[in-house]
Amino acid sequence: MTPRTLVASDLDRTLIYSANALELTCADRDAPRLLSVENYRGRPQSFVTEAAAALLAALAADPRAVFVPTTTRTREQYLRIRLPGPPPRYAICANGGHLLVDGVSDPDWHRAVTRAIAAACAPLKEVRAHVAATADPAWLLRDRDAEGLFHYLVVDRERLPDAWPKALAEWAAPRGWTVSLQGRKLYVVPEPLTKSAAVAEVARRAGTGRVLTAGDSLLDRDLLLAGDAAWRPGHGELAGSGWTHPRVNGLDERGVSCGETILRALLAALPAAGPDDAAAPVPGPAAASPR
């Protein structure tokens, strides 16, 4: 049997999209129909196109692949999402701080991550104190800790001075922390907390061969570099900075339609089915979004 391929993809603004991130540039009458995949307080929050929903279901069910949602979201935020297709056996949350197996965090993995952070980084309370002392309430809307692993802020981008995230990054770097600005959220994350480390652990457990990855933000860079092949949307931090790598396919497409493009590319990159494989069919042109 052909060795399975691990497919690890970021979610927000890579496979699923909030209303503000859709970037629908066509006329309203030509817009694709959308499927809600997340509700929060009774309201839909994240969407995919109908075509992307069919592709996601095909990827999750394909015996050639181990599909692993890989997100900076906390466990609570991730578990609000209902992706099409069978539930993934593995998922990575909190930027690698939690490895979920059938929806439950693996305690040994979490302990190993927290030990690595404690050994290499200034404590989270020091980061919180610095943010509290330097952030301006004029642009700081909310600030939160993510499961005691990292800190993030929700900011007013129009009022946020360009110099503040840069100054925070300069302060954080010698203390073992990184800074990433994604839309209205600014993340302060310890350097040992990476998606790629958790992906390597899933690959070990699942006994997979090749690794395919996708993501859009600075926090996805190590994830993309961990892939034998990877895809990056035409939007997001990495595209905006012009970041490239020989193994990373930089797409020009932006917004929710890019989710379809990435999913088609991931499915097409799976190995051809061997004689003992029963690969799931890949939706073809007939599954395109209605126009």
Side-chain angles (χ1 to χ4, degrees):
M1 179 175 287
T2 305
R4 291 187 297 171
T5 297
L6 192 150
V7 180
S9 179
D10 175 53
L11 294 178
D12 293 281
R13 300 191 75 199
T14 300
L15 298 186
I16 68 175
Y17 291 78
S18 69
N20 290 333
L22 294 173
E23 297 197 40
L24 296 173
T25 57
C26 57
D28 289 344
R29 65 177 181 274
D30 297 324
R33 291 193 301 195
L34 301 173
L35 173 69
S36 172
V37 294
E38 178 192 12
N39 287 332
Y40 179 56
R41 296 181 177 175
R43 295 186 178 184
Q45 293 292 306
S46 299
F47 305 87
V48 296
T49 65
E50 286 187 333
L55 292 162
L56 265 168
L59 179 60
D62 198 309
R64 299 171 296 170
V66 177
F67 172 53
V68 184
T70 306
T71 180
T72 304
R73 286 178 176 235
T74 63
R75 288 171 291 173
E76 180 183 358
Q77 292 166 340
Y78 167 72
L79 291 171
R80 293 200 301 254
I81 299 170
R82 292 292 181 268
L83 295 175
R89 174 80 195 281
Y90 299 101
I92 294 165
C93 297
N95 212 62
H98 286 283
L99 171 54
L100 272 56
V101 183
D102 296 327
V104 178
S105 180
D106 182 290
D108 292 335
W109 175 256
H110 182 63
R111 279 193 293 267
V113 170
T114 55
R115 284 197 299 266
I117 293 171
C121 305
L124 178 59
K125 65 180 181 181
E126 184 176 337
V127 174
R128 294 182 60 185
H130 181 78
V131 168
T134 58
D136 189 337
W139 49 258
L140 177 60
L141 305 179
R142 293 187 299 280
D143 66 308
R144 299 283 188 272
D145 284 352
E147 305 204 56
L149 291 166
F150 62 91
H151 198 61
Y152 70 94
L153 319 178
V154 181
V155 301
D156 183 331
R157 284 297 298 269
E158 293 184 358
R159 296 185 176 186
L160 176 68
D162 291 339
W164 194 84
K166 295 178 182 177
L168 178 61
E170 291 173 358
W171 176 88
R175 293 166 174 83
W177 291 72
T178 61
V179 174
S180 172
L181 182 61
Q182 304 176 35
R184 296 170 62 239
K185 289 186 177 180
L186 188 147
Y187 295 89
V188 193
V189 179
E191 290 179 0
L193 187 66
T194 65
K195 294 179 177 180
S196 59
V199 166
E201 176 63 12
V202 174
R204 184 189 69 81
R205 296 185 186 196
T208 53
R210 295 177 70 234
V211 176
L212 307 177
T213 60
D216 70 293
S217 77
L218 181 63
L219 293 176
D220 293 318
R221 184 166 55 184
D222 69 288
L223 174 66
L224 297 176
L225 293 175
D228 296 292
W231 287 263
R232 184 218 71 196
H235 55 255
E237 273 184 314
L238 294 177
S241 68
W243 181 83
T244 60
H245 188 273
R247 291 197 307 274
V248 178
N249 297 281
L251 304 175
D252 294 326
E253 197 168 357
R254 301 173 58 92
V256 69
S257 64
C258 194
E260 290 182 27
T261 301
I262 289 171
L263 285 163
R264 291 191 188 282
L266 291 169
L267 281 160
L270 295 177
D276 297 324
D277 295 312
V282 177
S289 301
R291 292 291 194 268

